[in-house]
Amino acid sequence: HYDVVVLGEVLVEVATEAAFDDGVEARLGVSGDALNVAAAAAAAGAEVGLISVLGEDELGQAVRRRIEELGVSTDLLRQRPGQQGAYFVHSDPEGNREFSYARSHSVGSTLSPEDLDLEVLRNAGAVIASGIIAAISDTAAQAVDVAAAAARRFVYDPNHRPRLSSLEDARRRLRELAPLSWLVTPSSPGETSDLLDAESPDAAAQALTSMGASNVAVTCGADGIYLLHDGETRWISSVPAPHVIDQTGAGDAFLGSTTARAVLGDTLPDAVRWGAAVASLVVGGRGGTGFVPTAAQTREHLRTASI
Ligand code: KDG
């Protein structure tokens, strides 16, 4: 039994120290939104499984070892011949990024419904997927549909990436998956206006619940999170970040830790506040999984933030 199961593609992260150029120093990491989510859920104390397809070569093995090191179960992973997807990133503390993918026809994009164990999905406390895995191939999109239909609590992060999906496809997927979702987490103002034509977090939350989503957490950066839960709306304030090095993966860490805490018994508002604290710490590390705070570090940060 897993508290949380995440579906997605794990990517090798090549983070350069300066703008992309020949000879620039780089640091290799293991990331991708699904792993960022899974690692944060595991750090929050959940038993986490990751459904993903890795290559079989040395790189695939290294990725697998890192997943294990992050406290995420490797039992649901598949490995087969193919190229591990990668991305190149240079980011500064202001959030300016140079970003490039090397993931077309990657082994991760071969994920299909055949890679899913329906019993595992039905028994999980929550199943999480994002618009990224739904965008990378038709078979991966089908896997998301099957997982969403099987899950007791399906959590969907639209995570719109214009380089991977047209706006039209992203909007259609959101319309199809919202009715199956226990929680949807769009970001505002970008995704709420692009995917929902919503002019406010409230309009976005109302639009998603009228599509059939049970709960909505609109992430609004430093303004906090606008939560629609059990038919009631409220703002949950963000938690100030002690220091900002790189914002990669902060939204993913919010998603993974919020879902984990809710499955482990927190009310959704409490879980969201926890997720906000985790996100504010993650930006102090480099890369998607460069710093994943422990539950003790998050608790201490929340305590000092509320003094
Ligand atoms: O949310 C962070 C992600 O953008 C980063 O990990 C790269 O997964 C990634 C993607 O597909 O954009």
Side-chain angles (χ1 to χ4, degrees):
H1 168 83
Y2 295 96
D3 299 313
V4 176
V5 169
V6 188
L7 257 82
E9 180 176 27
V10 182
L11 298 172
V12 170
E13 173 186 79
V14 183
T16 64
E17 286 184 3
F20 295 162
D21 199 2
D22 185 55
V24 159
E25 300 271 340
R27 178 187 175 278
L28 215 56
V30 180
S31 180
D33 71 328
L35 181 60
N36 305 342
V37 168
E47 285 294 324
V48 183
L50 178 61
I51 300 179
S52 194
V53 187
L54 311 180
E56 287 180 327
D57 60 3
E58 289 82 350
L59 199 51
Q61 295 303 342
V63 169
R64 188 185 184 97
R65 284 195 300 276
R66 177 63 179 151
I67 293 170
E68 198 163 10
E69 201 176 273
L70 288 165
V72 174
S73 165
T74 54
D75 291 350
L76 306 178
L77 295 172
R78 300 276 189 269
Q79 282 187 277
R80 45 187 178 246
Q83 284 178 0
Q84 195 66 48
Y87 70 98
F88 299 79
V89 62
H90 173 246
S91 55
D92 62 29
E94 280 73 52
N96 303 315
R97 300 212 290 184
E98 279 191 302
F99 193 88
S100 188
Y101 288 124
R103 73 189 305 181
S104 309
H105 307 292
S106 63
V107 73
S109 68
T110 67
L111 182 76
S112 84
E114 282 162 34
D115 296 313
L116 307 179
D117 179 336
L118 288 182
E119 272 314 287
V120 165
L121 293 166
R122 286 191 193 113
N123 290 328
V127 175
I128 307 178
S130 84
I132 294 180
I133 183 68
I136 59 174
S137 71
D138 289 345
T139 58
Q142 287 157 15
V144 173
D145 292 341
V146 171
R152 270 191 280 166
R153 285 174 171 177
F154 178 66
V155 179
Y156 185 63
D157 183 357
N159 239 352
H160 178 55
R161 296 287 183 271
R163 292 182 196 185
L164 300 177
S165 165
S166 69
L167 215 44
E168 198 187 353
D169 285 345
R171 291 169 72 109
R172 179 181 46 74
R173 274 190 292 269
L174 183 56
R175 269 198 314 275
E176 288 168 0
L177 291 167
L180 301 173
S181 297
W182 172 75
L183 176 65
V184 184
T185 59
S187 61
S188 173
E191 290 176 341
T192 49
S193 58
D194 291 351
L195 302 180
L196 295 159
D197 299 320
E199 279 170 17
S200 67
D202 185 60
Q206 303 298 345
L208 285 165
T209 43
S210 53
M211 288 178 193
S214 307
N215 300 289
V216 181
V218 184
T219 57
C220 307
D223 291 341
I225 297 108
Y226 187 78
L227 179 66
L228 195 161
H229 168 52
D230 278 349
E232 285 181 18
T233 58
R234 74 184 86 187
W235 278 99
I236 310 267
S237 53
S238 62
V239 180
H243 53 286
V244 182
I245 292 183
D246 175 7
Q247 308 195 358
T248 306
D252 305 332
F254 165 78
L255 178 66
S257 46
T258 296
T259 305
R261 295 292 297 193
V263 169
L264 294 174
D266 278 5
T267 64
L268 194 52
D270 283 352
V272 164
R273 176 80 175 154
W274 181 278
V278 171
S280 75
L281 290 172
V282 159
V283 298
R286 217 169 268 292
T289 59
F291 175 56
V292 187
T294 62
Q297 286 169 321
T298 303
R299 197 170 291 114
E300 178 59 16
H301 182 48
L302 263 177
R303 198 184 61 76
T304 47
S306 49
I307 288 172

